[in-house]
Amino acid sequence: MIVRLGYVAMSMELQNASPSQTMTFAQFKRIKDREAAIRKLERIAESNIENCLRLLKHNVGNGVHFFRLSSRLIPLANHEELLDWNYLTPLKEPLKRLGEYLKEHPMRVDFHPDHFVVLNTPDSEILKNAVKTLSMHKALLKGIGIDLEHRCVLHVGGGYDDKEKALEQFIHNWGFISPSIQKMIMLENDDTTFTVKETLYLCEKLGIPMVFDYHHHLANHEEADWRNDWDRIVSTWELSSLPIKMHISSPRSESDFRAHADYVDPEMFLQFLDEIKGTVPEIHCMIEAKQKDAALFQLIKDLRERTSFRFLDPSSFIID
DNA sequence: GCCAGTCAAGTCCCG
DNA sequence: CGGGACTTGACTGGC
């Protein structure tokens, strides 16, 4: 079984390389000349994409081939008072450069839109905004030249005091979402509302790959033993051309259990790998730790010290 | 140059 | 029902 590790959105090691620089709407309004303000937004977005390319180069230099792109590349992209702003035109060339680099250096990249993209809302305005944000992600993927299939991880959404009803609302809303956006989606179990079993219910019904978040599962489950659902999780990936992916993080502390720790506990990870060994030919694990790439590099170091895993490259190894 | 406060979005929580 | 907490990284303002 091949295991490939990745990390999230930004680097603790590269200086001044944030892909999520921003301008709030309050700041935007304070600028008298609207055209100048829009040009500033465009400069920030271009800089974010430029930093994104630096991050990709940093990844290649360190043998990392799995990476989550920031979902905050374009500040205020979906703001209702900026509907006339065609943010894509000035970004066409920078996005193309990302795509060209990715063609030379293959890397699995995807997005995790912010948690206010909720597809199971009963409010049609909120659904409209969620779809708008997903359309931006679609445009970014197209601009880079990445196939849309399974590139956006989302949570199921709100519980609204009746989770069964909330799940049915998801199914209802799903019918109003265009196939090209449906195709982008993966669903993840969350740490407060929807468990693995509930997420699986939707994934199986609608043909959506499920991203298993081990930490969230520990925080929120009906049945503690996830292994009973593992085969079902794996099966949701049969319809995808990409290998199964999941999220790995450690709790910050017992009292602050849901928060992400700085690093990943290697013993916990090794125990987990031992459980799933041989169940899939290849798995991609997204390391979600406060220390981002530094946590990934530390985990790799820990694994090298503790195991005799055969490393294919600095961030991928084989378990027999 | 550091620390506290602000910003954005939805949901959730409390009174 | 309304206001505040939550979450995240970036940024601003006060000292």
Side-chain angles (χ1 to χ4, degrees):
Chain A
M1 181 174 75
I2 297 172
V3 181
R4 191 182 285 293
L5 305 180
Y7 73 98
V8 173
M10 57 181 279
S11 168
M12 303 306 278
E13 304 207 333
L14 269 192
Q15 297 299 304
N16 301 316
S18 168
S20 343
Q21 298 162 99
T22 193
M23 185 188 334
T24 66
F25 187 63
Q27 287 168 273
F28 177 84
K29 270 190 303 191
R30 251 178 263 136
I31 300 171
K32 289 262 162 44
D33 180 347
R34 191 167 184 277
E35 281 308 308
I38 286 177
R39 278 197 296 278
K40 190 168 178 192
L41 285 175
E42 289 172 349
R43 279 200 304 275
I44 292 170
E46 279 175 53
S47 164
N48 284 342
I49 292 167
E50 210 47 54
N51 283 339
C52 217
L53 181 57
R54 287 178 61 205
L55 287 162
L56 296 184
K57 290 178 177 175
H58 170 67
N59 294 347
V60 168
N62 288 283
V64 176
H65 307 284
F66 181 30
F67 182 59
R68 179 187 300 165
L69 300 169
S70 167
S71 278
R72 300 179 182 186
L73 292 171
I74 311 172
L76 303 178
N78 298 302
H79 200 281
E80 56 174 15
E81 292 195 34
L82 279 152
L83 293 178
D84 58 321
W85 175 35
N86 182 356
Y87 53 80
L88 274 176
T89 306
L91 299 181
K92 239 180 121 186
E93 284 306 313
L95 288 172
K96 228 173 97 187
R97 280 199 292 277
L98 280 189
E100 279 160 9
Y101 188 75
L102 284 173
K103 244 184 220 123
E104 289 165 38
H105 305 91
M107 191 182 305
R108 181 178 189 171
V109 292
D110 52 30
F111 287 109
H112 194 341
D114 277 314
H115 65 283
F116 44 82
V117 174
V118 284
L119 293 188
N120 78 331
T121 176
D123 182 329
S124 63
E125 271 306 302
I126 291 168
L127 181 62
K128 213 176 86 191
N129 284 333
V131 170
K132 206 160 80 179
T133 301
L134 288 172
S135 300
M136 177 198 70
H137 285 82
K138 176 177 155 184
L140 287 171
L141 288 166
K142 288 205 153 189
I144 301 170
I146 302 172
D147 190 293
L148 297 180
E149 190 184 73
H150 307 143
R151 299 294 178 173
C152 289
V153 191
L154 293 181
H155 293 170
V156 174
Y160 310 111
D161 275 335
D162 184 345
K163 285 208 277 180
E164 254 181 66
K165 199 171 142 200
L167 288 168
E168 296 314 312
Q169 184 76 51
F170 189 104
I171 295 169
H172 175 78
N173 291 359
W174 188 252
F176 294 97
I177 294 169
S178 73
S180 65
I181 285 182
Q182 287 184 352
K183 184 179 159 189
M184 299 196 302
I185 311 290
M186 300 166 275
L187 284 179
E188 173 194 357
N189 58 304
D190 71 73
D191 56 353
T192 55
T193 313
F194 293 103
T195 62
V196 166
K197 285 182 197 297
E198 288 159 341
T199 309
L200 270 173
Y201 168 74
L202 289 181
C203 288
E204 289 170 347
K205 194 146 191 152
L206 302 173
I208 304 171
M210 174 168 164
V211 175
F212 176 48
D213 189 308
Y214 182 64
H215 182 186
H216 288 171
H217 172 71
L218 295 178
N220 180 31
H221 56 256
E222 305 94 355
E223 182 185 20
D225 196 346
W226 55 272
R227 292 174 302 183
N228 296 328
D229 293 317
W230 181 250
D231 288 348
R232 291 176 63 193
I233 295 169
V234 170
S235 294
T236 64
W237 286 88
E238 278 167 13
L239 48 84
S240 181
S241 55
L242 294 166
I244 183 170
K245 87 169 203 135
M246 58 171 297
H247 294 166
I248 288 288
S249 52
S250 292
R252 163 138 292 226
S253 66
E254 205 44 56
S255 61
D256 197 8
F257 191 86
R258 281 162 41 214
H260 289 173
D262 285 353
Y263 296 93
V264 168
D265 173 10
E267 293 303 333
M268 175 276 290
F269 186 49
L270 283 170
Q271 218 173 336
F272 178 80
L273 289 179
D274 199 48
E275 296 282 0
I276 62 163
K277 195 166 62 183
T279 58
V280 286
E282 180 167 354
I283 186 163
H284 295 171
C285 297
M286 185 59 81
I287 303 303
E288 294 185 325
K290 289 286 266 185
Q291 292 301 315
K292 312 290 177 190
D293 54 339
L296 168 60
F297 300 142
Q298 181 60 48
L299 181 61
I300 289 165
K301 195 167 159 252
D302 291 337
L303 295 180
R304 281 188 184 278
E305 279 168 10
R306 277 159 224 251
T307 70
S308 51
F309 292 160
R310 194 148 48 89
F311 276 78
L312 295 170
D313 63 49
S315 75
S316 315
F317 51 88
I318 293 182
I319 309 180
D320 298 313

